[in-house]
């Protein structure tokens, strides 16, 4: 009787590799991350990485595409909020989701500017997938216009400028806190409410 030895299934380490790349990027900076460091973090050989990715550029691009969060849930909620609750409260909640997004991605995105080739590839990837900050700003702009039609936001508010100011304020606050390695006062909840009322006052 011939006994056949069953080979253990090959382990797909793609997910582990991407998580290791994200971890190293957060602790060492994007430009300092090498395939050798990633392989060491995962506990595999360099060649194991190339079974999933052609090289460092493809690996880091996949990491950015698959591990960075997006704001789709936050934006979808805002789209359904016109005519419900307080416009200022709705915008403050949305701004909270945007700020949480910015807090997580700012260090990674800042590192892209030190890697022109990766930045170009990531920009092209976003365009191909129809993603980017302009889409979130458009949702905020459309929401403000919808509330203006309902007379819940004053007609004097420039919807496009308001969306730009809300988005850029969130990004700058996240950048400032990372840069200073400290929280900014006032606390985010209070700041968001004050910001919304200043930009989109009650009619």
């Amino acid at each position: 009787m011939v006994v056949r030895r069953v080979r253990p299934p090959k382990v797909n380490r793609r997910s582990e590799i991407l998580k290791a790349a994200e971890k190293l990027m957060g602790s060492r900076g994007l430009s300092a991350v090498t395939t050798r460091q990633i392989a060491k973090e995962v506990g595999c050989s360099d060649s194991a990485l190339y079974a999933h990715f052609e090289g460092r550029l493809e690996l880091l691009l996949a990491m950015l595409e698959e591990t960075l969060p997006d704001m789709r849930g936050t934006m979808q909620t805002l789209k359904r909020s016109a005519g419900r609750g307080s416009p200022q409260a709705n915008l403050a909640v949305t701004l909270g989701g945007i700020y949480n997004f910015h807090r997580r991605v700012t260090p990674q995105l800042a590192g892209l500017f030190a890697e022109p080739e990766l930045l170009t590839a990531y920009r092209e990837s976003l365009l191909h997938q129809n993603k980017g900050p302009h889409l979130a700003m458009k949702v905020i702009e459309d929401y403000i216009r919808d509330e203006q039609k309902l007379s819940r936001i004053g007609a004097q508010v420039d919807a496009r400028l308001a969306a730009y100011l809300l988005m850029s304020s969130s990004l700058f606050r996240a950048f400032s806190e990372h840069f200073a390695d400290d929280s900014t006062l006032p606390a985010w909840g209070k700041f968001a409410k004050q910001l919304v009322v200043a930009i989109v006052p009650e009619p």
Side-chain angles (χ1 to χ4, degrees):
M1 180 178 178
V2 178
V3 179
R4 293 184 178 180
R5 299 179 66 181
V6 179
R7 295 181 180 179
K10 291 183 178 180
V11 178
N12 188 334
R13 288 187 152 172
R14 178 186 172 86
S15 178
E16 291 180 67
I17 293 168
L18 295 178
K19 288 179 181 178
E22 183 183 24
K23 178 182 177 181
L24 289 169
M25 183 176 65
S27 62
R28 302 190 180 191
L30 184 60
S31 60
V33 176
T34 65
T35 53
R36 179 169 295 181
Q37 291 171 338
I38 295 170
K40 183 177 179 180
E41 181 72 24
V42 175
C44 65
S45 63
D46 288 10
S47 59
L49 269 61
Y50 295 105
H52 301 283
F53 308 98
E54 291 184 2
R56 178 178 180 275
L57 177 63
E58 183 180 305
L59 192 164
L60 292 179
L61 179 60
M63 183 270 297
L64 290 169
E65 291 175 338
E66 298 180 31
T67 65
L68 287 184
D70 59 44
M71 294 184 284
R72 282 180 292 186
T74 298
M75 295 299 105
Q76 289 298 325
T77 298
L78 184 64
K79 283 182 179 181
R80 299 190 295 265
S81 298
R84 302 178 182 180
S86 160
Q88 287 70 32
N90 291 339
L91 287 169
V93 170
T94 299
L95 198 58
I98 293 171
Y99 170 70
N100 288 335
F101 169 83
H102 283 152
R103 281 281 298 169
R104 180 172 174 186
V105 305
T106 295
Q108 289 92 327
L109 296 181
L112 280 173
F113 292 96
E115 300 252 357
E117 188 178 8
L118 181 59
L119 174 61
T120 298
Y122 188 53
R123 186 185 294 126
E124 292 174 352
S125 172
L126 289 178
L127 289 173
H128 180 71
Q129 298 178 68
N130 194 30
K131 292 182 178 181
H134 62 290
L135 298 177
M137 287 195 291
K138 186 64 167 60
V139 171
I140 297 172
E141 177 185 344
D142 290 345
Y143 170 77
I144 292 173
R145 294 190 193 283
D146 289 342
E147 293 288 26
Q148 286 175 322
K149 292 175 183 177
L150 297 172
S151 301
R152 284 160 43 93
I153 291 178
Q156 79 282 2
V157 174
D158 185 319
R160 181 172 297 177
L161 179 60
Y164 181 86
L165 291 172
L166 290 171
M167 182 72 76
S168 58
S169 295
S170 169
L171 178 60
F172 183 72
R173 168 128 178 176
F175 170 82
S176 297
E177 291 184 343
H178 279 295
F179 184 79
D181 194 25
D182 194 11
S183 297
T184 303
L185 294 175
W188 171 257
K190 183 177 181 180
F191 173 80
K193 291 177 182 178
Q194 292 175 336
L195 180 64
V196 168
V197 171
I199 297 174
V200 187
E202 297 179 5

